[in-house]
């Protein structure tokens, strides 16, 4: 009786599912979280900030290189003045309290968006966060603050138009790649995975250009409740998908 052929050695590294390099999150549901508990909206935003601290740590633990979070949109200015003041205050508190810890953990902070309409002290704090951490090499935390994707693309178009008008660029040289370099995210890879919490299923003017081929995961979990389990579940959903970038499925052959 002949011996059975040996099974090839199992290589855990080969079997490990891919971890997305860049995860972007639309942090939604703070207000509903508070309302369901009979609490003021501010408490929902405060708990949402705690969830952000936790998610930054988890992303680093999981080996994610870039984490982009939607902190404040261009459209959020339409909210009540008191709520806007609360959100700005929470951001100030986050930077003042967490910046040293982020820096100590080798986290690089990037801000995308515009400083139009922001208080000078807040602009200074955001610049300090970027400058202090610019040489860090672990997780890059990208905060989309006072950000809107349509507005970002309009800014990029104006930059390119100015270059054409000044003779620095020919119209025929405006390619997809050249346009991408004019965006706020010029040195940041496109997101592999976009997660939106709270059960809403829309992009809300977030990374519309960059997310062209991102996988989208919508979870019913409200942002203040988004913990390691919810994060890992979203990553598992991503890992079950086949990214084709416009090509054919490998199952077709």
């Amino acid at each position: 009786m002949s011996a059975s052929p040996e099974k090839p050695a199992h290589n855990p590294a080969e079997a490990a599912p891919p971890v997305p390099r860049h995860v972007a999150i639309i942090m939604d549901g703070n207000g509903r979280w508070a309302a369901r508990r009979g609490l003021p909206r501010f408490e929902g935003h405060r708990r949402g900030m705690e969830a952000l601290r936790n998610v930054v740590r988890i992303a680093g633990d999981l080996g994610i290189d870039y984490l982009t979070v939607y902190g404040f949109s261009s459209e959020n200015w339409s909210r009540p003045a008191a709520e806007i003041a609360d959100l700005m205050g929470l951001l100030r508190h986050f930077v003042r309290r967490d910046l040293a810890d982020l820096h100590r953990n080798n986290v690089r902070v990037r801000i995308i968006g515009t400083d139009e309409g922001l208080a000078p002290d807040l602009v200074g704090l955001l610049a300090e966060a970027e400058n202090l951490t610019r040489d860090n090499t672990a997780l890059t935390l990208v905060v989309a603050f006072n950000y809107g994707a349509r507005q970002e693309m309009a800014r990029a178009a104006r930059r390119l138009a100015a270059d054409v008008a000044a003779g620095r660029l020919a119209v025929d040289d405006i390619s997809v790649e050249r346009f991408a370099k004019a965006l706020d995210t010029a040195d940041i890879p496109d997101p592999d995975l976009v997660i939106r919490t709270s059960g809403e299923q829309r992009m809300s003017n977030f990374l519309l250009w960059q997310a062209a081929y991102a996988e989208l995961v919508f979870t019913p979990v409200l942002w203040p409740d988004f913990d390691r389990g919810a994060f890992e579940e979203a990553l598992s959903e991503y890992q079950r998908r086949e990214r084709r970038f416009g090509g054919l499925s490998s199952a077709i052959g």
Side-chain angles (χ1 to χ4, degrees):
M1 185 175 180
S2 61
S4 300
E6 292 185 2
K7 293 182 179 179
H10 175 65
N11 186 338
E14 291 178 356
V19 174
R21 185 183 185 200
H22 183 176
V23 176
I25 304 180
I26 301 173
M27 306 178 293
D28 194 18
N30 292 344
R32 274 167 284 173
W33 184 93
R36 290 177 185 178
R37 291 160 176 77
L39 299 171
R41 288 179 64 84
F42 174 80
E43 183 61 18
H45 292 312
R46 189 188 71 79
R47 289 294 295 269
M49 194 64 74
E50 292 179 6
L52 174 58
R53 291 187 181 99
N54 189 39
V55 164
V56 171
R57 288 192 292 270
I58 295 167
D61 292 345
L62 294 173
I64 292 166
D65 292 331
Y66 293 82
L67 175 69
T68 297
V69 294
Y70 208 1
F72 187 84
S73 78
S74 304
E75 289 72 32
N76 285 157
W77 290 106
S78 63
R79 294 189 177 190
E83 183 172 356
I84 292 173
D86 287 341
L87 290 168
M88 298 297 175
L90 281 170
L91 179 65
R92 289 183 176 93
H93 182 68
F94 178 80
V95 174
R96 289 167 179 155
R97 170 181 162 174
D98 293 82
L99 181 56
D101 187 56
L102 292 170
H103 185 43
R104 186 164 48 250
N105 286 288
N106 201 25
V107 174
R108 180 188 179 203
V109 178
R110 277 291 314 276
I111 310 297
I112 60 173
T114 176
D115 58 12
E116 183 178 352
L118 299 181
D121 74 301
L122 186 52
V123 173
L125 279 174
L126 296 176
E128 178 187 354
E130 287 194 297
N131 291 332
L132 178 65
T133 65
R134 69 170 60 254
D135 295 325
N136 291 345
T137 57
L139 172 74
T140 295
L141 172 63
V142 184
V143 181
F145 196 80
N146 200 20
Y147 171 88
R150 289 178 172 179
Q151 292 86 340
E152 176 192 27
M153 287 188 277
R155 288 195 300 274
R158 287 194 295 271
R159 291 181 188 121
L160 295 175
D163 285 343
V164 169
R168 295 187 295 266
L169 181 68
V171 170
D172 290 343
D173 290 335
I174 301 177
S175 61
V176 169
E177 294 75 18
R178 184 65 184 80
F179 188 85
K181 290 180 180 178
L183 295 170
D184 297 355
T185 54
D187 60 340
I188 299 169
D190 289 343
D192 304 292
L193 169 64
V194 176
I195 303 169
R196 181 169 186 149
T197 61
S198 87
E200 301 292 348
Q201 298 186 20
R202 56 180 177 270
M203 291 295 290
S204 295
N205 203 21
F206 181 55
L207 299 181
L208 298 181
W209 175 279
Q210 298 86 341
Y213 282 102
E215 296 296 323
L216 309 180
V217 171
F218 302 104
T219 172
V221 177
L222 300 176
W223 176 247
D225 293 328
F226 192 81
D227 56 12
R228 178 179 288 270
F231 201 169
E232 291 181 346
E233 184 175 343
L235 293 183
S236 294
E237 172 63 28
Y238 167 84
Q239 290 162 343
R240 287 192 291 269
R241 299 182 185 178
E242 181 185 3
R243 303 187 73 199
R244 298 193 295 275
F245 301 96
L248 296 177
S249 168
S250 59
I252 296 176

